Amino acid sequence: MRRSPFSFADQYVLPGHSKRIEIPVARDALGAQFGLQVVVIHGRHPGPTMWVNAGLHGDEIAGIHIAGRLLTRVNPRTLRGTLLVVPVVNVFGVMNQTRYLPDRRDLNRSFPGSQRGSLAARIAHLFLQLVVQPCDYGVDLHTAGSGRRNLPQVRVSFAREEAVEIARAFGPEVILDSQMRDGSLRAAATQMGKLVLVYEAGETLRAEEEVVGRGLDGIRRVMHRLGMVDEAPPPPEKEALLCRTSQWVRAGRSGLANYMAELGDTVEKGQVLAVITDAFQTARVRVRAPDDGVIIGRATGGLVTRGDALYHLARP
Ligand SMILES: [Zn+2]
């Protein structure tokens, strides 16, 4: 029996076809129209429905590269199931190279949103209704926030066994059981019963091949694991480390930071991770690991303020 067309907004996508559809969101002061652009790839054969989005935070460019390159790798004639790809959710943020929307709201703290709320609330609501609602699975692509850098990692809720299996298939360096954050896409989509992976890797405003390639390979492996495609890159040699908890290690004083530990390093409790000095090298404060663990995130700035998060330390 032939598969039904996929209905999206006011349009239909036939099995074995893909279509780029723009949903109007708002106009700017000069009247230019901004929209949410979604590529719907409706496989010829039945299977799961999955979305991949990037650019909830407008300065996190790596995910936009990943989503775009994914489009060149998926063939609607051989795909089983349906893939919805949204390379940029926060169009305004990307244009201005900033995390936020023009009203300084963080889109990833604005879910589930509402139809008549702020611009952030409206985009969040639209995204949930149109993109998340029809899906079984989702991948939300991020980098570390400004001034930080992340080891390629996948964040899921370990409460759902299937989530850990799919995260393993992705093949990151670390899989972190992370708490739901209020207002995040992951929290709202999980509430709707969707299984969401968050990929966090690299830093803002950059698209390094290691980060982009690893993310693209990971999504293709997840699609293979779900039976959507026949081919995927082989799994990485090193199996992902499962971490159940993480904490920030902060600067004990303000000053010039010399980082001694790198992303991916396994460190022991008491090990010196960084030394903070003043401009005259008269004062030195050592920042030590409060526990054993692996470094999954670090600050990049050479000048720090007391209390700044310098390292993100995760533990099995
Ligand atoms: Zn982000």
Side-chain angles (χ1 to χ4, degrees), residues 57 60 99 142-143:
H57 292 137
E60 300 181 5
R99 178 181 182 92
H142 289 262
T143 71

Side-chain angles (χ1 to χ4, degrees), residues 84-114:
L84 275 57
V85 181
V86 190
V88 175
V89 184
N90 178 1
V91 180
F92 306 90
V94 171
M95 289 180 67
N96 296 311
Q97 301 201 18
T98 165
R99 178 181 182 92
Y100 303 102
L101 282 157
D103 61 2
R104 303 297 296 164
R105 279 195 171 83
D106 184 330
L107 185 52
N108 208 25
R109 306 286 179 271
S110 303
F111 284 86
S114 63

Side-chain angles (χ1 to χ4, degrees), residues 23 37 40 52 56 76 86 89 97 110 116 164 166 169 224 229-230 236 265-266 275 298 305:
I23 313 297
Q37 296 200 49
V40 178
V52 174
L56 273 185
V86 190
V89 184
Q97 301 201 18
S110 303
R116 299 258 167 266
V164 181
I166 291 173
H224 182 256
V229 292
D230 288 327
D265 283 0
T266 302
V275 175
R298 55 158 284 191
T305 303

Side-chain angles (χ1 to χ4, degrees), residues 284-304:
R284 291 173 75 83
V285 167
R286 289 177 178 79
V287 179
R288 294 178 186 277
D291 225 320
D292 296 351
V294 57
I295 306 286
I296 62 167
R298 55 158 284 191
T300 53
L303 195 60
V304 299

